Amino acid sequence: MRSRLDPLTIAAITVAIIAVSSSGPLIAYAAAPALAIAFWRNALAVGVLAPVTLTRRRAELRGLRTDHAWRWSVLAGLALAGHFATWVPSVKMTTVATATALVATQPVWAGLIALWQGRRLGRWTWIGIGTAVVGAAIATGADFTRGGTAFVGDLLAVAGGLLAAVYTSLGEKARSRTSTTTYTTVCYSVCAAVLLGVCLLFGVELTGFDDRTWLAIIALTAGAQLLGHSMFNYALHKVSATTISVLILLEVPGAAVLGWVWLGQAPPAAAWPGIALLMAGVAAVILGARRPAALPTPDPVDVDLPARNG
C-alpha cells in the first residue's frame, strides 16, 4: 500500500510534467537545425552524466563487456539516435501538439514489439492499440489535407515513437545487467557520436546560433533530458510506475498549451478528436499492461528512472 501523497511529491510530479511538456515547444523555438539540436541535447547530457559515471561507476563501466551489456547499450544508443533524428525534425514540420501526440505512441509500438517477441497481449491492450491507430489516422489525415510539410512531420513523429520503443526494448536488456546511470551515459554517448557524424556528413551547422537558441538548447537538456524524468523517478516512492506512465501523457496537452501560448501554434480543429482518441488509446495500452509490467513512457529521457518496460 503506497502512502498518501505529500506536497513535495505533488510538486515533483508537477515540475516533471512541465519539464517534459517543454520539449516540443523548445525544439520548435530554437533557431537551429533539428539535427544540431538533437546532437547538443545528448552531448550536454553526457557532459553532466559522464563525470559521475567515471568517478562512481568506473568498475561497472569496465565490466560491461563481460555480460554483453555493452552491446545492448550501444544498440540502444543507435536506436535513440534514430528516434531523435526523426522526432526533433517532426516538431519543426508540424504542430507541437500533433508531433508530441504521435511520438507518444511509443507504448503502442512497445506492445507490438512484445507481441513479435512471443508475449500475449490482453484485451485492453488490443483495444488501446486499435483506438490509438484510429486516433492517429484522424490526426494525420487532418494534416494531410493541409498540405505542406505537416503530413511528413506526422510520419516522422510516428517513426520517432517506433524508434523510441525499440530504444527502450534494447535498453531493458541492458538495464537488467547495469545501473541506469552507467547505461544512459554509454547510450547517450553513442547517440551523440552518431548524430555528430550525421551532422558532419551532411554539413549541418553546429555553432553560430544566437543566445536565445543556446538558452533553449540548455533548457531542453536540463528540463526534458535530465530534470523531468528525475522528478518522476523521485515520485516513484509514492506513485506506481503505471500511474507515472499515464501522468506523462499529460505532456501532450501541456505541450499543446505551451505551443499555443508561446508560439501561437494550434493543430487544425479536425485534428483534436484524433489526438484525444490517440491519448485514450495509449492510456489503455499502458493500463492494460499493468500485469506483469507497465510499458515504456513516451519520452525516452531516462536519467535514473527504473526501466518500467522510458
Side-chain angles (χ1 to χ4, degrees), residues 75-159:
L75 290 175
L78 294 174
L80 184 60
H83 162 75
F84 281 122
T86 50
W87 149 242
V88 176
S90 76
V91 180
K92 291 184 173 291
M93 300 174 73
T94 185
T95 63
V96 169
T98 304
T100 306
L102 290 171
V103 82
T105 56
Q106 176 188 346
V108 172
W109 294 110
L112 293 176
I113 290 173
L115 180 68
W116 177 71
Q117 292 175 336
R119 305 179 194 174
R120 295 182 61 183
L121 302 183
R123 180 195 308 171
W124 280 105
T125 302
W126 281 115
I127 291 174
I129 290 174
T131 304
V133 168
V134 172
I138 294 173
T140 55
D143 276 345
F144 182 76
T145 60
R146 293 168 60 199
T149 62
F151 182 67
V152 176
D154 292 347
L155 295 181
L156 286 174
V158 171

Side-chain angles (χ1 to χ4, degrees), residues 31-80:
L35 288 175
I37 295 171
F39 162 70
W40 283 115
R41 172 176 179 165
N42 285 273
L44 292 174
V46 171
V48 174
L49 294 171
V52 178
T53 304
L54 292 174
T55 55
R56 299 179 59 183
R57 305 279 186 177
R58 188 177 303 174
E60 182 182 12
L61 194 61
R62 287 197 299 264
L64 288 181
R65 292 181 180 275
T66 61
D67 54 8
H68 304 294
W70 180 265
R71 177 180 63 184
W72 296 121
S73 298
V74 170
L75 290 175
L78 294 174
L80 184 60

Side-chain angles (χ1 to χ4, degrees), residues 149-214:
T149 62
F151 182 67
V152 176
D154 292 347
L155 295 181
L156 286 174
V158 171
L162 169 59
L163 287 164
V166 174
Y167 154 70
T168 49
S169 179
L170 292 167
E172 183 180 21
K173 295 180 180 295
R175 283 286 289 109
S176 66
R177 298 174 172 85
T178 186
S179 68
T180 307
T181 302
T182 301
Y183 160 66
T184 50
T185 300
V186 174
C187 181
Y188 286 2
S189 297
V190 172
C191 179
V194 171
L195 291 172
L196 176 61
V198 173
C199 288
L200 294 176
L201 180 64
F202 291 98
V204 177
E205 293 292 335
L206 293 173
T207 58
F209 311 135
D210 58 39
D211 292 343
R212 292 188 305 172
T213 295
W214 281 117

